[in-house]
Amino acid sequence: MPEITMLEAIREALFEEMERDPTVVALGEDIGVYGGAFKVTDGLLAKYGPERVIDTPISETAIVGAACGMSYLGLRPVAEMQFIDFIACCFNQVTNFVAKSHYRCGAPVPMVLRGPSGGGVHGGPFHSANPEMYFVHTPGLKVIYPSTAYDAKGLLKSAIRDNNPVLFFEHKFLYRRVKEEVPKTDYTVPIGKAIVRRQGRDLTILSYAAAVHTALEAAATLAKEGIEAEVIDLRTLLPLDKETILASVKKTNRLLVVHEDTKTGGIAGEIAALVCENAFDHLDAPISRVTGLDTPVPYSPPLEAEFLPSVEKVSVAARELAKY
Amino acid sequence: MQTRLTPEKQVDLYYYMQLNRQLEERLVRLFRQNKVVGGVYSSLGQEGISVGTSYALEARDWLAPMIRNIGALLVKGFKPRDIFTQHMAKVTSPTQGKDGTSHFGDLKVRHVVSPISMLGDLIPVMTGVAMAGRYLGQNIVAMTWIGDGGSSTGAFHEGLNFAATQRAPFVLILENNQWAYSTPVSKQVPLRDLADRAKAYGIASKVVDGNDVLAVYETTKAAVDECRAGRGPILIEAKTMRMKGHAQHDPAEYVPKPMFEFWKSQDPIARYEAYLAENKIWDAKRKAEVDARIERELDEDQRFAEGSPLPSAELAKEGVYCEGCHTVEAQWERAKKEVMPPASCIDAIWKINEFGAFAAKQEHIPRQASTGNGMKPAVQVPASGSAQPVEVDIDKQPALRVPFGRGPKDRAFERERQEKQPPPKHRHRHKGRRR
């Protein structure tokens, strides 16, 4: 099996799902002839035609609204935000129309809303956002944020086959930086399941998306110092895999949450509350957080580096936690 | 009014309008008795639009009502008990008490999409419905409504523009009831006819007297037929008046009294009753029968609703996600292989026919009228005129000329325009002199 990038894995998932099921259609800005701003959908139009691969006007509300309407007739649309930052333009359509549809009137919305997210590529305040928590706060949605090529492909397939609206965040720093062997055979990765990326006994580092790789790098450094960190990749933020989180905390008794999203209102706070409610007696130290700053994502490289969680910041926090 | 509707169906229109009105009057009484949990958003005076438009749809077609389109829900086959129980938040309501008013739907049988309170959002959603129906080969038309107020939202623009670029089989009814809550239409939109908004999207539009149910029906039917034939979307402005406040809590004191008086004289049900009598479509006996049927149905359904229990508290937690409770199935009415390779394969390149310069420089390219996209131009149906829209041959219409155009025809147009106009008078300014 050849190694492929996360971007190629996402593209493979789209091709395979469109081949498997003619109700799968794609729509978004510049996804057809151009193949998408990051070329994720490259080749899709040539193969599946303009009825299934729809270039839209710059109208995020229309994209999400139309995808919702299509799903009401049994289609499974995959809508792209050119950058996930632009999801703010259709916030109402996502949170009020799509998310509440099944609860309030029994109308399922089997659609996927996907797009490139996250910082580290000097995109500045409007092309680097991690807006996942707005949607984790919205009952009715599912929120996925993978960190590997294998997971990206398997989770996107699960998302397309799910009967609920799924937001699929693709960390653009990882698009072409992570590579691995990904099966050509049809497989899925279940939504709502975290995975232990590295076993450890001294503390748990919970993370997702690009920060998982930061955490793993820090764990390798810490191992040389005799600190064995367990690294967990959440993969799905909504619904959260509480069992895996609590099991690891009960094992290591120390918890560090690492994410690129801002600290205030980031998922670390929710996880801290979850652990306090369910495993307080198992904690040997206060829960610690390494996150993005409570600022927009700045443009200039030294500013952005300061914003992002780094191996250094994670290592320092982990050492403090281990010796508490 | 010329109509192709049979006398039976003409009486049907009365039945739905009167059912709509009597149902809402009962809701007002129930509201005053504290039996309605939320608000009552009256469509008094607008029944002709809800009924006339939705009556033009077929069973396979899709609609999404707005808050004042209870009449459309009745036409689509929902029963008064659905409306009663929704307002009274009963567990027997279509949403089991999770949402109220007209906020419910039925995707499988009646093809009704449930509205939300954020105005304009249904327009892109119904565009998607129309596109999916076309994709599946169902030959359906999708319809929704928007108010004069809601026509200023971003979703209205994004949705209608997308529908236009997709030529979606979609009919949008713009119900101009003169008021967005307390704000008159003149303070919302600098247009006499809101149908003119269609020009910005290059789509056809029509204006109709919203208080003339037959005109509404005929205009909508023509639009639905056009859309089904692939010439959508179409915007219809129906002029009417909201005869009550925004909802029951609002006495609408901001509306000038003469305005109410004028529109009271235009009442759609009174006008239609007179029409039915004058044209001998019915007699007093038939009217009495229909009215008695309405009373009987409302009595029964109101009793059902009042006797229904509220939902049990545990229901609050249920149904956030679809976990196998619903099946998602597309109804294919074309061969799937048409949308699969090799049939779906294309050369992924743009074909650009018009290079975007001033049209006058590119006369080898067939000119399009201002309504664009080869669509029919705006057609207006006079308030009490024939219901058949006047067809305009766009090729015979003078093309739009801009005074700064540089082509030979534009220069000639500009010369002619200047000759017609007297030279501008020199105006003296007396700055600062006025006290």
Side-chain angles (χ1 to χ4, degrees), chain B residues 13-22 44-45 47-48 211 213 266-276 282 287:
Chain B
L13 288 179
Y14 168 82
Y15 163 75
Y16 284 118
M17 284 201 291
Q18 192 64 274
L19 183 64
N20 184 169
R21 180 167 295 182
Q22 296 306 321
L44 185 68
E47 298 92 340
N211 288 21
V213 68
Q266 302 294 310
D267 182 71
I269 295 183
R271 277 171 68 184
Y272 194 54
E273 284 181 38
Y275 161 88
L276 292 174
W282 71 1
K287 173 175 160 48

Side-chain angles (χ1 to χ4, degrees), chain B residues 2-296:
Chain B
Q2 296 290 312
T3 180
R4 285 163 290 179
L5 286 176
T6 60
E8 194 69 16
K9 289 190 167 172
Q10 292 186 54
V11 174
D12 226 19
L13 288 179
Y14 168 82
Y15 163 75
Y16 284 118
M17 284 201 291
Q18 192 64 274
L19 183 64
N20 184 169
R21 180 167 295 182
Q22 296 306 321
L23 171 54
E24 289 187 11
E25 289 197 358
R26 285 176 186 240
L27 284 174
V28 170
R29 288 202 290 276
L30 290 165
F31 179 86
R32 290 179 182 150
Q33 294 165 14
N34 253 346
K35 288 178 179 168
V36 167
V37 172
V40 175
Y41 299 78
S42 169
S43 68
L44 185 68
Q46 299 176 228
E47 298 92 340
I49 299 171
S50 293
V51 172
T53 52
S54 54
Y55 205 78
L57 294 176
E58 295 175 13
R60 61 181 155 167
D61 295 331
W62 284 65
L63 63 76
M66 291 283 284
I67 196 104
R68 297 187 213 285
N69 298 121
I70 279 172
L73 290 168
L74 297 171
V75 170
K76 261 289 189 185
F78 283 104
K79 298 293 167 206
R81 66 177 56 193
D82 297 320
I83 319 286
F84 280 127
T85 50
Q86 277 287 114
H87 281 80
M88 296 162 84
K90 297 298 178 83
V91 73
T92 49
S93 77
T95 64
Q96 297 177 291
K98 290 195 177 149
D99 204 344
T101 62
S102 67
H103 288 193
F104 64 99
D106 170 10
L107 304 184
K108 296 278 185 200
V109 180
R110 297 195 179 95
H111 301 159
V112 173
V113 171
S114 170
I116 72 170
S117 299
M118 291 72 197
L119 301 177
D121 277 7
L122 282 166
I123 298 169
V125 171
M126 296 311 282
T127 298
V129 165
M131 288 165 68
R134 179 172 61 191
Y135 176 69
L136 293 165
Q138 293 176 356
N139 201 19
I140 58 158
V141 172
M143 182 191 286
T144 188
W145 293 258
I146 190 74
D148 42 301
S151 77
S152 297
T153 59
F156 174 96
H157 167 66
E158 288 198 15
L160 202 48
N161 183 62
F162 187 40
T165 60
Q166 286 291 321
R167 307 244 179 128
F170 169 56
V171 179
L172 179 59
I173 310 296
L174 201 167
E175 235 173 312
N176 180 357
N177 70 9
Q178 315 300 328
W179 296 90
Y181 208 140
S182 73
T183 307
V185 65
S186 58
K187 291 288 175 198
Q188 309 163 44
V189 188
L191 291 173
R192 180 76 183 81
D193 291 326
L194 303 194
D196 288 353
R197 288 201 188 278
K199 286 181 188 161
Y201 308 109
I203 63 170
S205 67
K206 292 166 186 180
V207 182
V208 68
D209 175 356
N211 288 21
D212 179 346
V213 68
L214 273 184
V216 170
Y217 167 79
E218 291 294 342
T219 305
T220 311
K221 182 73 172 69
V224 167
D225 291 346
E226 282 288 289
C227 284
R228 213 184 300 282
R231 292 186 287 271
I234 294 176
L235 175 69
I236 297 173
E237 179 190 0
K239 292 186 189 291
T240 186
M241 172 70 183
R242 194 193 71 203
M243 297 301 284
K244 292 277 182 185
H246 174 63
Q248 271 305 305
H249 62 270
D250 169 19
E253 284 157 345
Y254 44 80
V255 178
K257 280 211 171 62
M259 190 167 183
F260 273 136
E261 282 155 20
F262 167 78
W263 280 99
K264 194 154 194 276
S265 72
Q266 302 294 310
D267 182 71
I269 295 183
R271 277 171 68 184
Y272 194 54
E273 284 181 38
Y275 161 88
L276 292 174
E278 276 164 28
N279 291 276
K280 306 203 173 12
I281 310 288
W282 71 1
D283 53 21
K285 184 166 164 281
R286 182 90 178 93
K287 173 175 160 48
E289 280 168 14
V290 175
D291 287 342
R293 177 187 164 196
I294 289 169
E295 282 304 296
R296 199 172 57 242

